[in-house]
Amino acid sequence: DFKLRPFQREIVESIYAEDATGNRFVRQALITMPRKNGKTGLTAPLALLHFCGPEAVERGQVYSAAAERQQAALLFNEMKAMIERDSVLKERVIVREFVKQLEDVKTGSVFFAISAEATTKHGFSANCWIYDELAQAKDRKLYDVLSTSTAAHKEPLSIIISTQSHDPNHIMSELVDYGLRVNSREITDPAFYASIYTAPEDSNPWDE
């Protein structure tokens, strides 16, 4: 069983909210919080949902992205552990450990763990992608490639889950600023969801 904490339930319910026609309207979700708050444990089942669950599409492509290969593999490892604990998924999912790939023989969907260390990829057609610790990315090349890879899908979803960046010009900082403006209703954008856990800049760091 997968049990959600109240704040995690709020995130999941917000991302998967539906409009009057029963379609999801969130296309990009930004989740930022301090380290050690279960980010990978939260996103692994969401990746499985789009890879081999009710949100999966025929011959879909799901990606886990990160600045470094080791970071990108964290989500793969968590998904693999969940698959191995489920007898049905264990039968239908092929695990390719060396290249950090999964294949669902029922839908033909594939999952890839990729990193920005490799040459920037092209030719993606992602129905779902998750960028883990975007704040660590040296540039936005992989982010941009993934962002433009979902056009062929009806209800694609991208999830950025990361701590914040100290660089105000970083793509992560741009997304946080945009999310704050959406949350304050300065900007109306129902396709963008932001869950931002942060302390005010003028907070006393020694105040418990």
Side-chain angles (χ1 to χ4, degrees), residues 9-20:
R9 180 175 295 277
E10 180 182 350
I11 291 172
V12 172
E13 289 179 347
S14 298
I15 293 175
Y16 292 93
E18 297 179 344
D19 60 22

Side-chain angles (χ1 to χ4, degrees), residues 23-89:
N23 295 317
R24 284 188 292 103
F25 52 83
V26 172
R27 294 290 175 262
Q28 185 168 37
L30 171 70
I31 306 169
T32 177
M33 61 184 71
R35 297 181 186 277
K36 303 302 180 184
N37 276 284
K39 294 192 293 293
T40 304
L42 174 63
T43 50
L46 301 186
L48 284 173
L49 181 68
H50 291 265
F51 166 63
C52 58
E55 295 289 336
V57 300
E58 291 292 326
R59 297 182 299 281
Q61 296 178 11
V62 178
Y63 293 90
S64 163
E68 300 176 353
R69 180 174 172 78
Q70 185 176 2
Q71 183 73 33
L74 293 178
L75 190 62
F76 167 85
N77 293 335
E78 191 72 15
M79 292 171 67
K80 176 188 170 187
M82 292 179 175
I83 289 168
E84 290 178 342
R85 289 196 295 266
D86 186 285
S87 58
V88 174
L89 292 181

